[in-house]
């Protein structure tokens, strides 16, 4: 019977691996590992998931930050459905699957990869900048199953401008609860690197903020629009639903879409028009005001 291992770093999408009977996996940061985890808390060779003829065992292979199963050191006991796993900063879950569940998972994964081409075709060079960003946000929210989002661009004076918004209510923008949703955007602008948190409540940076609890944010992703090292803007999406969460594959697709959109934007003439989805027209001015208060110019 197959199984599924889900590993969630603090600032990326979850890595999900389906394991077949008889299969053993080396896990670590080294590119030669079967499961490569790009997190500095993970050792180059961190742990081994081994088949013992009946099921799987997990052992630490001398990692710096340790491997945990249900709160204790991983010492080779056979894993059971629902076991909680830790590797460095990553939290994880081991689950038994039926053959049908495993096949459905692989089919869904293939479908998501194939949908990337369709999403890229939506982002056509002949679209104006505003329409291009509408399409980008639509694709991002569909991909991550987000409930709301916005796109910012950087104008000629290095000011941040709200170009597209969806899912915000005026009430949510008119008080300090909105602060919880821009911490990730602030980090992206400062570092130029994407931030994605599959479980915001357990994240040490954002999870304890009163604003996150008040807004009920469960997952978020914020990705720069970047062209030749220059930040042209960013896209932000979040959701209050705990499940289904987005995966590492979703984040990689979102980053690819953002890079594709940025390459088109870099060739487009300036467009000062903001666009909103139906029913959200009243929030753009307030969202712009809050962005100016809470985020620095680039």
């Amino acid at each position: 019977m197959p199984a599924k291992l889900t590993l969630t770093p603090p600032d990326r999408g979850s890595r999900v691996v389906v394991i077949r009977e008889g299969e053993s996996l080396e896990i670590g940061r080294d590119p030669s590992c079967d499961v490569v985890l790009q997190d500095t808390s993970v050792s180059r060779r961190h742990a081994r998931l081994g088949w013992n003829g009946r099921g799987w065992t997990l052992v630490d292979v001398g990692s710096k930050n340790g491997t945990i199963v249900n709160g204790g050191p991983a010492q080779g006991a056979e894993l059971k459905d629902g076991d909680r796993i830790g590797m460095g900063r990553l939290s994880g879950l081991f689950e038994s699957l039926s053959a049908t569940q495993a096949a459905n998972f692989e089919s869904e994964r293939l479908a998501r990869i194939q949908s990337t081409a369709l999403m890229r075709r939506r982002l056509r060079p002949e679209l104006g900048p505003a329409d291009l960003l509408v399409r980008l946000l639509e694709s991002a929210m569909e991909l991550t199953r987000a409930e709301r989002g916005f796109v910012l661009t950087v104008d000629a004076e290095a000011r941040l401008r709200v170009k597209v918004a969806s899912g915000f209510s005026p009430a949510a923008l008119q008080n300090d609860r909105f602060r919880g949703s821009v911490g990730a955007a602030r980090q992206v602008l400062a570092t130029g690197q994407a931030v994605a948190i599959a479980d915001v409540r357990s994240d040490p940076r954002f999870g304890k903020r009163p604003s996150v609890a008040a807004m009920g944010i469960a997952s978020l992703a914020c990705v720069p629009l970047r062209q030749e090292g220059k930040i042209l803007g960013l896209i932000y999406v979040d959701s209050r639903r705990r499940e289904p969460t987005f995966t590492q594959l979703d984040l990689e697709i979102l980053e690819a879409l953002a890079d594709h959109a940025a390459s088109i934007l870099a060739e487009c003439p300036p467009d000062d028009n903001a666009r909103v989805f139906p029913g959200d027209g009243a929030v753009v001015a307030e969202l712009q005001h809050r962005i100016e208060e809470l985020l620095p110019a680039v």
Side-chain angles (χ1 to χ4, degrees):
M1 182 174 293
K4 182 172 73 172
L5 179 65
T6 303
L7 295 167
T8 304
D11 56 358
R12 306 287 288 180
S14 299
R15 179 70 184 276
V16 183
V17 181
V18 171
I19 318 139
R20 304 293 178 178
E21 285 188 16
E23 186 177 24
S24 295
L25 301 174
E26 299 289 338
I27 303 171
R29 210 173 68 248
D30 193 284
S32 66
C33 288
D34 301 298
V35 179
V36 180
L37 302 172
Q38 298 292 348
D39 190 279
T40 56
S41 70
V42 174
S43 296
R44 292 183 65 83
R45 298 195 177 278
H46 196 103
R48 186 174 190 273
L49 187 71
W51 174 256
N52 66 4
R54 303 176 308 276
W56 285 272
T57 62
L58 184 66
V59 294
D60 189 88
V61 292
S63 70
K64 179 179 178 181
N65 293 312
T67 304
I68 302 299
V69 177
N70 296 328
Q75 297 178 330
E78 188 171 316
L79 294 173
K80 301 182 295 298
D81 181 48
D83 278 353
R84 295 286 175 176
I85 293 168
M87 294 184 188
R89 298 188 304 165
L90 281 69
S91 60
L93 178 67
F94 178 86
E95 299 172 272
S96 299
L97 296 179
S98 68
T100 299
Q101 287 173 321
N104 289 342
F105 175 84
E106 294 296 349
S107 296
E108 181 181 349
R109 182 179 184 277
L110 179 60
R112 295 184 82 73
I113 293 173
Q114 292 172 337
S115 72
T116 306
L118 176 60
M119 290 179 180
R120 283 178 65 93
R121 286 198 293 271
R122 292 178 185 170
L123 307 179
R124 303 192 306 272
E126 60 267 27
L127 292 171
D131 287 324
L132 175 72
L133 295 178
V134 167
R135 297 280 183 89
L136 176 62
L137 186 56
E138 286 176 335
S139 296
M141 294 180 69
E142 176 186 339
L143 178 70
T144 61
R145 299 166 289 272
E147 295 175 296
R148 65 181 198 170
F150 59 80
V151 178
L152 303 179
T153 61
V154 181
D155 69 13
E157 286 75 40
R159 294 173 299 185
L160 295 165
R161 295 299 184 194
V162 178
K163 287 301 194 180
V164 188
S166 178
F168 289 90
S169 68
L173 297 173
Q174 291 172 353
N175 57 51
D176 285 342
R177 292 187 301 170
F178 181 66
R179 292 180 182 272
S181 65
V182 296
R186 184 180 292 112
Q187 182 170 327
V188 169
L189 291 171
T191 66
Q193 301 299 315
V195 171
I197 306 174
D199 184 0
V200 176
R201 295 175 181 90
S202 66
D203 184 82
R205 296 160 301 170
F206 300 106
K208 296 187 183 302
R209 293 187 180 186
S211 54
V212 168
M215 297 176 69
I217 299 174
S219 62
L220 65 84
C222 189
V223 175
L225 301 175
R226 191 171 44 213
Q227 176 69 3
E228 297 181 351
K230 181 181 179 182
I231 295 180
L232 306 182
L234 59 81
I235 180 169
Y236 171 95
V237 293
D238 68 26
S239 179
R240 290 165 293 184
R241 295 188 297 264
R242 285 186 177 270
E243 295 292 343
T245 187
F246 59 84
T247 67
Q248 177 67 23
L249 176 62
D250 296 332
L251 178 60
E252 290 170 2
I253 293 173
L254 180 55
E255 289 180 307
L257 291 174
D259 288 344
H260 180 60
S263 68
I264 298 174
L265 284 175
E267 302 299 325
C268 288
D271 186 338
D272 292 331
N273 296 322
R275 293 290 300 275
V276 295
F277 287 77
D280 289 326
V283 308
V284 170
E286 187 62 34
L287 180 56
Q288 178 66 47
H289 174 67
R290 299 299 284 159
I291 290 296
E292 290 173 355
E293 284 186 331
L294 298 171
L295 288 177
V298 175

